[in-house]
Amino acid sequence: MSFDLDQFLPYRLSVAAAQVSRRFAALYGAEAGLTVPEWRVLAHLHKSEPVSVRDITVRVNLEKSIVSRAASRLEQEGLVRKSGHESDRRLIALALTRKGRDLMRRLGPIAQDFQTQLTAELGPDAEGLQRALTRLIARDTPPK
Amino acid sequence: MSFDLDQFLPYRLSVAAAQVSRRFAALYGAEAGLTVPEWRVLAHLHKSEPVSVRDITVRVNLEKSIVSRAASRLEQEGLVRKSGHESDRRLIALALTRKGRDLMRRLGPIAQDFQTQLTAELGPDAEGLQRALTRLIARDTPPK
DNA sequence: ACATATTCGTTGCATAAGCAACGATTGTCA
DNA sequence: TGACAATCGTTGCTTATGCAACGAATATGT
């Protein structure tokens, strides 16, 4: 009996994740053309700022070079402001600009609605999915 | 109340998928240095061959250019053979070589074992996860 | 205090992904 | 049959990713 890719969990997870990401990107694409890293940085800043690049890499599971470049792009678009940390001059303090906050005020509800819709689609399996994801993420070795 | 990325399903799915992929790559990395597309192509060929590039793009959720390049690399490494389709000369028939079949004979059990281990880790939530993934994948708009 | 190690953010470089365009072939339909 | 459209696989090009290396700043240990 031969191995069946269609039943293989890593494959299924990857396809599902890509699929869900595409759907979500289509939703916020109307409001702003963001990459996934850019979205994650904004979302994290929205709930806690100011914060360093390093903090973000740890909290949103992105490599530091990716966060660095995403932050630069966001700064260039006027969504994020970079300033020096007071006591530790190695650190950079990232914060949302007024424009960035406005954008997140529109994107937040979109994300919430999408989450609600997904949960509805999944019905009774939504909880099991969340628990399973928690377990998988828990043993995280973050990307460098 | 502010949006929380840590509870956002697209984010959680993406992190979990990346995490599981890394773990699996570490396992088969000892046997062969394959990229994800290469692994998927081999896995699909293992269960049905010969098959065209187009077939693979549809069945393993990869864009055709990615499959094309993966197939070329695999051919160069002697794992896959390309030959012309008999009646339709636009098509290419991909098949495993002896070496490719041998590799998959080693990789198949590794994948199975990993699946078993994951299922064990997830315990009672494994089923809910699989059902949820099935639902998410079902409404698939494949990548091009 | 001083040499050394470590951390932070950026950048360079090699590889991968995503999309459009292309030549070659086959399908469609008037 | 013959023009036109559609499909297949490859390739070019732009952008994204992942890793290593770097300069600057701070921590550490003797």
Side-chain angles (χ1 to χ4, degrees):
Chain A
M1 187 214 62
S2 161
F3 173 72
D4 185 3
L5 188 63
D6 291 326
Q7 296 305 121
F8 192 48
L9 200 46
Y11 170 69
R12 288 163 63 77
L13 263 174
S14 167
V15 172
Q19 169 68 2
V20 169
S21 272
R22 265 195 301 272
R23 288 177 62 188
F24 181 52
L27 287 183
Y28 67 59
E31 287 289 330
L34 298 173
T35 65
V36 168
E38 287 164 357
W39 153 254
R40 288 192 193 175
V41 168
L42 286 181
H44 184 61
L45 286 179
H46 185 54
K47 70 174 286 204
S48 68
E49 55 174 351
V51 97
S52 71
V53 170
R54 167 69 179 159
D55 286 330
I56 297 189
T57 66
V58 170
R59 300 207 186 132
V60 304
N61 258 274
L62 290 173
E63 220 245 343
K64 63 180 181 175
S65 69
I66 295 179
V67 173
S68 173
R69 291 193 247 245
S72 294
R73 281 192 297 262
L74 292 171
E75 185 190 28
Q76 208 133 28
E77 313 217 346
L79 297 168
V80 156
R81 181 177 40 252
K82 290 184 185 177
S83 47
H85 189 279
E86 310 182 1
S87 56
D88 188 338
R89 284 182 304 181
R90 289 172 302 183
L91 302 184
I92 281 196
L94 293 174
L96 293 178
T97 60
R98 180 103 183 80
K99 186 179 170 190
R101 236 182 313 275
D102 286 348
L103 177 60
M104 280 310 294
R105 259 195 281 271
R106 293 196 301 275
L107 258 38
I110 292 178
Q112 288 287 11
D113 290 351
F114 184 51
Q115 171 99 348
T116 302
Q117 186 187 336
L118 281 178
T119 306
E121 284 174 16
L122 294 175
D125 295 322
E127 277 203 30
L129 171 63
Q130 291 285 16
R131 276 195 303 270
L133 291 180
T134 298
R135 292 202 187 219
L136 292 176
I137 294 172
R139 55 168 63 234
D140 205 3
T141 303
K144 256 296 162 76
Chain B
M1 187 215 59
S2 161
F3 172 72
D4 185 3
L5 188 63
D6 291 326
Q7 295 306 120
F8 192 47
L9 200 47
Y11 170 69
R12 289 163 62 77
L13 263 174
S14 166
V15 172
Q19 169 69 1
V20 169
S21 272
R22 265 195 300 273
R23 288 176 64 189
F24 181 51
L27 287 183
Y28 68 58
E31 287 290 329
L34 298 173
T35 65
V36 168
E38 287 165 357
W39 153 253
R40 288 192 192 174
V41 168
L42 285 181
H44 184 62
L45 285 178
H46 185 52
K47 70 174 285 204
S48 66
E49 53 174 352
V51 97
S52 71
V53 170
R54 167 69 179 162
D55 286 331
I56 296 189
T57 68
V58 170
R59 299 206 186 134
V60 304
N61 258 273
L62 291 174
E63 221 245 341
K64 63 181 180 174
S65 69
I66 296 179
V67 174
S68 173
R69 291 193 244 247
S72 294
R73 281 192 297 262
L74 291 171
E75 185 190 28
Q76 207 132 25
E77 314 218 346
L79 297 167
V80 156
R81 181 178 41 250
K82 291 183 185 178
S83 47
H85 189 278
E86 311 182 0
S87 57
D88 187 339
R89 284 182 304 181
R90 288 172 304 182
L91 303 183
I92 281 197
L94 293 174
L96 293 178
T97 60
R98 179 105 183 80
K99 186 177 171 190
R101 235 182 312 275
D102 286 348
L103 177 60
M104 280 309 295
R105 260 194 280 270
R106 293 196 299 276
L107 258 36
I110 291 179
Q112 288 287 10
D113 290 352
F114 185 50
Q115 171 100 348
T116 301
Q117 186 186 337
L118 281 178
T119 306
E121 284 174 16
L122 294 175
D125 295 322
E127 279 203 28
L129 171 63
Q130 291 285 16
R131 277 194 303 270
L133 291 180
T134 298
R135 291 202 186 219
L136 292 175
I137 293 172
R139 53 167 64 232
D140 206 3
T141 302
K144 260 293 163 80

